[in-house]
Amino acid sequence: MKREMEKTYDPKKVEERTYKWWKENGWFKPEVNPDGKPYTIMMPPPNVTGQLHMGHAFDDTLQDTLIRYHRMLGEAALWMPGMDHASIATEVKVLDKIKNETGKTKQELTREEFLEEAWDWADTYRNRIREQIEKLGASCDWDRERFTMDEGCSNSVKRAFEDLYKKGLIYKGSRIINWCPDCRTALSDAEVEYEEQAGHMWHIRYPIKGEEGRYVTVATTRPETMLGDTGVAVNPNDERYQDLVGKTVILPLVGREIPVVADDYVDMTFGTGVVKMTPAHDPNDYEVGKRHNLEEINIMNEDGSLNHLAGEKYEGLDRYEARDVIVKELDELGYLDHIEDHVHNVGTCYRCGTTVETMTSEQWFVAMQELAKPALEAVKEGKTRFIPDRFTKTYNNWLENIRDWCISRQLWWGHQIPAYTCKSCGEVIVGDQPKSCPTCGSTTLIQEEDVLDTWFSSGLWPFSTLGWPAETEDLKKFYPNSALVTGYDIIFFWVARMIFMGLFEMGEVPFEDVYIHGLIRDSQGRKMSKSLGNGVDPLEVIDEFSADALRFSIITGNAAGNDIRWQEEKLTASRNFLNKLWNAARFTLMNLEETIPEIDDASLEESDKWILSRMNRVVSEVRENMDKYELGLAAQKAYDFTWNEFCDWYIELVKPRLYGEDERSKNAAQHTLNLVLTNILKMLHPVIPFITEEIYGYLPEHGEALIIESFPQTDEALDFPQEERDVNYLMDVIRAIRNIRKNLNVPNSKKASLYYKTDDREKEAILKRSHPMLMKLASVSEEMPAALPDEADLKKYTSAVAGGTEIFLALDDLVDKEKEIQRLSAEKEKLEKELVKVSKKLENPGFVQKAPEAVVNKEREKKAAFEENLKKITDRLKDL
């Protein structure tokens, strides 16, 4: 028995039920197409720090669109979901929660107590995030879900650390690092965000030993670090200071003698050409210090206060308090030459925004030069390509200038570094926890306290999730992955690391394509953030508009690599499209029987062939766009075809046949309606899966589920180029007639005779045989369209050009000319008065200068509207 669609589409009824049905039937699994070639996407794992934001919705919609498309191509499509433990971010959140609930700080907790709370947090948020992703319609294989700290991923981390260590690519040493005094942990270069800040440049005099009254002037933005100075440097080619090289200067306030060294690093043209050297607190000074054996004096504590090496007077002071004290003393003692305002880039922690300190510290590092080379070559050789290609430059720049990667973090949440030190002989053992020291047999072994950088485990994501280091069937089948979908903001954080880790451990790149998308910004182009209060909750959007409307508004207008602006009007337009699709499907199904009639090509009429040929062309274009990652274009083309051609034209063209007595014509129309609607649903399914699946279930002779149907293919038998041209010409004529009637305010009830001028006999034939359609769709009279007589008085007609044909409508058929002229003249006079009034107001300097800007702009808008309407009326009067 035929089911009838409800009058209006209710997404709240449909979406949860449909998702559960898909999931229970296992249709998210690659095993749906066991013989298909593998197509794999790894979900960039969201952090377990809170709920999803619009960026996740953007990312997941793009991935799901690709996965659904490739599943419908018959491929074994695996979208592997998972979540990231997010070391620093999660630890901060958990500590805040503990402090709010118990008043305890980290210093008052044991590691075990903290980890118990952290795991509770992670489990809670993993469940919450999973539910949120499901609401979006994500067709990922939840039975394969992974977490960066689950047992399998943890084993992968341990193995990768061990492999890199054995190859000499992981080492522990004292090097210059980035340090966050708030999070109290080391940061990699990629975790430091730079922002312009207004500050000062302090110019300080350093006396030259043994030369009374002579000094060199150095400049610094961080005067507190001078307490750790161990040298000053000049350029060896700078004639001003050649006599000073090898001498010493006296460090003000401290009294320490420090050498003058010559190094090419110093820019002779910048400032005085003399640079203070603080090897423990500046990466460039660190390199110069290594070349000249300068001492490294770290004057900072972990919390950003000064330690005992800064001197008893300053010990315990916060870095900024110390700065004020030091500047004051320098001034009082005559060492401060001058101060100038200075805007400069300052490094901040990417998690908490605190200004980072550079300092020497003993940490674990990955030696990057050997890993970076093959990663650069792989992209250069096209083994992995970036879409769009311009992001290849971002990737190359970062790897070409990479420093060794600091991977240790002074945190509790994360993968504890798998390195054990024997307390008896000092031997370091890496890997699984040993029972005893292999060198001396001692059982007193201490594991490293620090955890690994979050991005270490994330770098293994494309293969750790598939079971590596075990040789699983999934690993054999789904590695390398097919595509990675991610934002341009983490190319160096994540993408580069996955590529060099994949090449190191697997010998192959982790993915063929990297599809880079932009950020979702607010309507003013600003980044969405809590501080601006301009964030949009995707769950609230889904609740109000539906998941499909959110997905469609995200996809349409989107181009790879570009940011998109969030506009609620797009959501409304997307919802309108869903309603249009529902109503078109409902009309179609109301006019179909339980079985679709079989027909031959000879039964197809001109409009049937036109829509089938257009459908065939659109299917070809949509497939091409999807294959090139032009998802926004693909969605837009499917939308345009559905709304503009199927709904607005074809359905209107076939209505008389559906209600007529000609069974053969009716059957052809029913057959065509069903075929085109089915293919529309298939084309749109990857983007708007819920409504398309719901409608598909009402189709006569439908399959098991749309999600596992085949994507439409082009069919040469459905190419009808002549009928396409002919109907497109007819549509141009109808549009032209409608425009004439609209401009003259003529109601559809007033019929008009159609005349034309053309030497094209084919076009003349189209107009004559299409008379019934012209009567219905353009309110043409029952009189057959005819050529305009040569002796006709053109003043009695209104005309337009359509498809190269000049068409004419008799004015007397359309309007009572005298009455219409009177009405328009009165309207023109009224508008002219209003225009004079508003023009005088805007010509008054007092009004323009004193009135609020919004009021003035409103008057300007009024004037523009009056001018536009006056032109329309003048044009209409001219026509009459």
Side-chain angles (χ1 to χ4, degrees):
M1 183 178 163
K2 192 168 107 171
R3 288 193 306 140
E4 190 173 323
M5 289 174 68
E6 291 189 22
K7 194 170 182 181
T8 56
Y9 176 59
D10 184 354
K12 285 189 171 70
K13 279 186 184 177
V14 171
E15 293 184 349
E16 191 174 340
R17 162 174 53 81
T18 303
Y19 193 87
K20 187 180 176 188
W21 177 61
W22 286 331
K23 197 174 171 185
E24 286 174 350
N25 280 282
W27 289 327
F28 298 163
K29 294 179 165 298
E31 287 78 10
V32 164
N33 297 316
D35 301 322
K37 74 170 186 177
Y39 181 84
T40 321
I41 295 178
M42 295 293 168
M43 179 184 288
N47 296 341
V48 288
T49 49
Q51 65 180 37
L52 296 189
H53 53 67
M54 198 53 76
H56 294 113
F58 188 16
D59 206 49
D60 290 345
T61 297
L62 293 169
Q63 291 171 80
D64 195 42
T65 298
L66 288 168
I67 280 291
R68 287 179 182 272
Y69 171 65
H70 284 273
R71 186 183 293 123
M72 292 178 82
L73 292 181
E75 296 173 18
L78 169 61
W79 184 15
M80 175 82 82
M83 293 169 217
D84 196 298
H85 65 282
S87 202
I88 296 179
T90 304
E91 181 153 322
V92 168
K93 294 264 188 184
V94 174
L95 287 171
D96 283 347
K97 178 176 177 283
I98 293 170
K99 190 170 184 181
N100 290 336
E101 291 176 357
T102 68
K104 288 185 178 180
T105 63
K106 185 176 181 179
Q107 289 69 32
E108 296 169 288
L109 298 168
T110 65
R111 188 171 193 144
E112 290 67 31
E113 286 172 336
F114 168 80
L115 287 174
E116 190 177 336
E117 287 282 348
W119 274 105
D120 283 347
W121 173 284
D123 291 342
T124 299
Y125 278 92
R126 282 178 66 195
N127 290 330
R128 190 175 297 178
I129 289 167
R130 190 181 306 113
E131 289 168 10
Q132 292 168 346
I133 294 172
E134 288 182 347
K135 281 193 176 296
L136 194 65
S139 61
C140 41
D141 187 351
W142 291 110
D143 290 340
R144 284 178 163 95
E145 182 192 341
R146 301 304 300 268
F147 179 50
T148 48
M149 280 182 63
D150 65 28
E151 186 181 356
C153 287
S154 296
N155 287 336
S156 301
V157 166
K158 199 183 298 177
R159 170 67 179 273
F161 188 95
E162 189 176 0
D163 289 347
L164 287 162
Y165 184 80
K166 284 178 178 174
K167 288 268 189 182
L169 295 174
I170 281 184
Y171 64 93
K172 190 177 187 180
S174 179
R175 290 180 63 88
I176 195 88
I177 54 117
N178 305 296
W179 183 268
C180 175
D182 189 48
C183 298
R184 297 197 189 183
T185 183
L187 301 171
S188 70
D189 290 345
E191 291 169 312
V192 178
E193 293 181 344
Y194 288 89
E195 60 181 45
E196 272 199 352
Q197 289 184 9
H200 297 94
M201 184 79 82
W202 286 269
H203 296 259
I204 307 167
R205 301 185 184 114
Y206 283 24
I208 298 162
K209 187 189 176 187
E211 299 190 29
E212 190 72 32
R214 191 182 178 195
Y215 55 83
V216 291
T217 303
V218 300
T220 180
T221 57
R222 298 155 68 211
E224 65 278 8
T225 62
M226 68 175 287
L227 303 178
D229 284 3
T230 56
V232 295
V234 297
N235 190 290
N237 300 313
D238 196 334
E239 293 178 1
R240 293 172 295 175
Y241 304 116
Q242 281 181 349
D243 68 310
L244 292 182
V245 177
K247 293 183 179 181
T248 58
V249 297
I250 306 299
L251 183 62
L253 308 187
V254 179
R256 183 166 60 240
E257 280 188 48
I258 57 176
V260 179
V261 299
D263 196 280
D264 289 328
Y265 159 71
V266 180
D267 182 353
M268 291 186 290
T269 63
F270 184 77
T272 61
V274 183
V275 181
K276 66 191 275 303
M277 289 288 118
T278 322
H281 292 284
D282 183 277
N284 296 312
D285 296 1
Y286 176 81
E287 297 298 336
V288 174
K290 287 292 181 193
R291 290 195 287 272
H292 298 278
N293 298 313
L294 299 179
E295 187 182 357
E296 294 167 15
I297 302 175
N298 185 343
I299 61 164
M300 292 273 181
N301 290 316
E302 290 184 356
D303 63 356
S305 63
L306 271 55
N307 61 27
H308 69 284
L309 294 176
E312 189 177 342
K313 190 192 293 186
Y314 310 106
E315 184 179 1
L317 290 177
D318 171 78
R319 52 184 168 163
Y320 299 119
E321 290 174 335
R323 177 179 297 180
D324 293 340
V325 170
I326 288 165
V327 169
K328 188 179 178 205
E329 289 185 7
L330 287 169
D331 192 25
E332 289 171 351
L333 295 170
Y335 292 118
L336 187 62
D337 190 89
H338 69 284
I339 306 170
E340 61 183 341
D341 292 338
H342 181 67
V343 176
H344 59 141
N345 273 338
V346 176
T348 60
C349 174
Y350 82 118
R351 278 299 171 198
C352 69
T354 302
T355 298
V356 300
E357 284 294 336
T358 44
M359 60 171 71
T360 49
S361 174
E362 189 171 57
Q363 303 286 341
W364 288 85
F365 295 88
V366 175
M368 283 307 307
Q369 292 306 312
E370 193 176 321
L371 293 169
K373 284 175 188 172
L376 282 163
E377 282 300 311
V379 171
K380 188 178 178 182
E381 292 168 8
K383 292 175 183 173
T384 291
R385 63 178 185 139
F386 283 84
I387 299 147
D389 182 60
R390 68 178 185 271
F391 288 103
T392 305
K393 191 176 179 182
T394 306
Y395 171 87
N396 288 342
N397 283 347
W398 190 68
L399 280 178
E400 284 165 359
N401 298 289
I402 199 165
R403 295 196 302 166
D404 286 358
W405 173 19
C406 176
I407 54 170
S408 45
R409 298 290 179 271
Q410 289 62 50
L411 303 166
W412 283 344
W413 179 240
H415 298 97
Q416 198 168 344
I417 291 175
Y420 303 83
T421 303
C422 175
K423 293 295 280 183
S424 300
C425 69
E427 177 75 12
V428 176
I429 306 105
V430 163
D432 291 324
Q433 184 169 2
K435 290 180 180 175
S436 60
C437 174
T439 302
C440 71
S442 170
T443 55
T444 313
L445 300 164
I446 306 297
Q447 185 175 1
E448 285 285 329
E449 288 285 317
D450 294 350
V451 300
L452 287 165
D453 177 8
T454 295
W455 299 101
F456 190 93
S457 53
S458 302
L460 311 175
W461 193 245
F463 50 96
S464 65
T465 49
L466 296 170
W468 182 86
E471 296 230 357
T472 63
E473 289 304 311
D474 273 4
L475 186 64
K476 290 175 191 171
K477 184 168 185 174
F478 298 112
Y479 188 92
N481 307 163
S482 307
L484 173 75
V485 179
T486 190
Y488 59 65
D489 51 335
I490 55 171
I491 289 173
F492 39 81
F493 271 121
W494 192 39
V495 180
R497 285 170 177 153
M498 283 189 284
I499 292 175
F500 68 66
M501 290 294 244
L503 287 165
F504 176 75
E505 289 293 5
M506 303 295 295
E508 289 182 90
V509 291
F511 25 70
E512 297 162 20
D513 294 335
V514 182
Y515 175 86
I516 299 291
H517 61 75
L519 306 177
I520 292 194
R521 298 185 178 274
D522 70 9
S523 58
Q524 298 174 49
R526 300 174 303 176
K527 193 172 180 179
M528 290 184 177
S529 68
K530 283 182 185 175
S531 58
L532 288 172
N534 61 348
V536 177
D537 183 348
L539 296 182
E540 289 178 8
V541 173
I542 289 170
D543 187 57
E544 185 179 351
F545 291 93
S546 79
D548 282 338
L550 172 59
R551 291 169 64 112
F552 198 73
S553 61
I554 282 173
I555 290 284
T556 49
N558 167 55
N562 292 346
D563 291 346
I564 60 174
R565 290 197 178 194
W566 181 253
Q567 296 168 317
E568 196 161 301
E569 309 87 78
K570 276 189 78 176
L571 280 171
T572 304
S574 297
R575 182 169 59 187
N576 291 345
F577 174 61
L578 300 182
N579 291 334
K580 182 89 168 178
L581 177 63
W582 183 265
N583 292 334
R586 190 166 179 271
F587 168 82
T588 299
L589 292 163
M590 283 167 63
N591 288 283
L592 296 183
E593 308 302 329
E594 286 184 57
T595 56
I596 299 301
E598 289 295 323
I599 63 159
D600 54 33
D601 282 357
S603 303
L604 294 172
E605 298 189 12
E606 190 172 51
S607 57
D608 302 329
K609 290 180 178 179
W610 164 73
I611 196 69
L612 291 170
S613 193
R614 285 294 304 131
M615 176 192 76
N616 213 28
R617 193 183 302 274
V618 171
V619 164
S620 173
E621 291 175 4
V622 166
R623 287 180 75 114
E624 184 183 348
N625 292 140
M626 292 292 286
D627 292 340
K628 289 159 70 176
Y629 295 95
E630 295 167 345
L631 310 189
L633 273 176
Q636 190 63 49
K637 285 177 182 175
Y639 167 94
D640 289 341
F641 174 72
T642 303
W643 189 303
N644 299 336
E645 298 183 82
F646 181 66
C647 298
D648 283 359
W649 284 101
Y650 182 69
I651 285 177
E652 294 304 315
L653 290 170
V654 298
K655 276 179 181 176
R657 294 162 57 193
L658 295 170
Y659 308 142
E661 301 298 321
D662 186 339
E663 282 300 312
R664 187 181 185 201
S665 178
K666 182 178 180 179
N667 287 347
Q670 289 176 324
H671 173 88
T672 306
L673 277 168
N674 182 67
L675 178 57
V676 176
L677 177 60
T678 302
N679 278 338
I680 282 172
L681 296 176
K682 289 179 178 181
M683 275 194 289
L684 287 169
H685 178 75
V687 184
I688 47 173
F690 290 111
I691 192 170
T692 50
E693 186 73 80
E694 181 69 6
I695 294 170
Y696 181 77
Y698 287 99
L699 293 179
E701 304 173 13
H702 63 78
E704 188 177 6
L706 182 58
I707 190 175
I708 52 171
E709 274 288 349
S710 297
F711 201 82
Q713 294 188 22
T714 50
D715 182 352
E716 283 185 19
L718 297 180
D719 271 339
F720 301 106
Q722 183 62 51
E723 286 79 359
E724 258 197 81
R725 285 194 295 273
D726 291 353
V727 175
N728 283 339
Y729 167 70
L730 178 63
M731 287 161 61
D732 284 344
V733 170
I734 292 170
R735 285 192 198 101
I737 296 171
R738 286 175 173 175
N739 283 338
I740 290 172
R741 301 178 70 91
K742 183 182 174 186
N743 289 338
L744 293 172
N745 277 339
V746 179
N748 289 336
S749 56
K750 275 212 165 190
K751 307 297 179 185
S753 300
L754 174 64
Y755 299 92
Y756 54 83
K757 273 187 180 181
T758 182
D759 295 327
D760 191 326
R761 300 283 75 87
E762 277 188 34
K763 288 180 178 176
E764 186 174 20
I766 293 167
L767 293 174
K768 288 186 178 294
R769 71 171 179 260
S770 304
H771 185 216
M773 288 184 202
L774 290 166
M775 288 168 64
K776 182 177 187 305
L777 299 178
S779 296
V780 167
S781 68
E782 292 183 6
E783 187 181 336
M784 179 67 72
L788 187 73
D790 291 337
E791 67 277 9
D793 181 359
L794 294 181
K795 289 179 183 177
K796 293 183 178 181
Y797 297 86
T798 183
S799 66
V801 176
T805 302
E806 198 170 1
I807 59 170
F808 301 85
L809 297 177
L811 280 170
D812 289 344
D813 289 348
L814 296 171
V815 291
D816 182 327
K817 200 155 74 170
E818 293 306 318
K819 278 187 180 177
E820 185 65 7
I821 288 171
Q822 283 176 16
R823 185 186 73 79
L824 288 172
S825 298
E827 198 173 330
K828 181 171 179 269
E829 188 180 344
K830 185 182 171 185
L831 274 172
E832 284 170 341
K833 285 178 182 174
E834 291 290 344
L835 193 54
V836 168
K837 203 158 96 181
V838 76
S839 296
K840 280 183 179 176
K841 197 182 270 191
L842 288 168
E843 286 164 8
N844 179 355
F847 170 74
V848 174
Q849 290 165 15
K850 292 176 185 175
E853 190 180 351
V855 173
V856 176
N857 286 339
K858 195 171 180 183
E859 292 300 312
R860 285 181 179 139
E861 286 167 11
K862 269 164 60 175
K863 184 185 177 189
F866 289 151
E867 287 172 338
E868 188 182 348
N869 288 338
L870 187 61
K871 184 181 183 304
K872 285 180 183 175
I873 287 171
T874 305
D875 288 345
R876 275 193 232 161
L877 281 166
K878 189 178 174 184
D879 287 341
L880 288 168

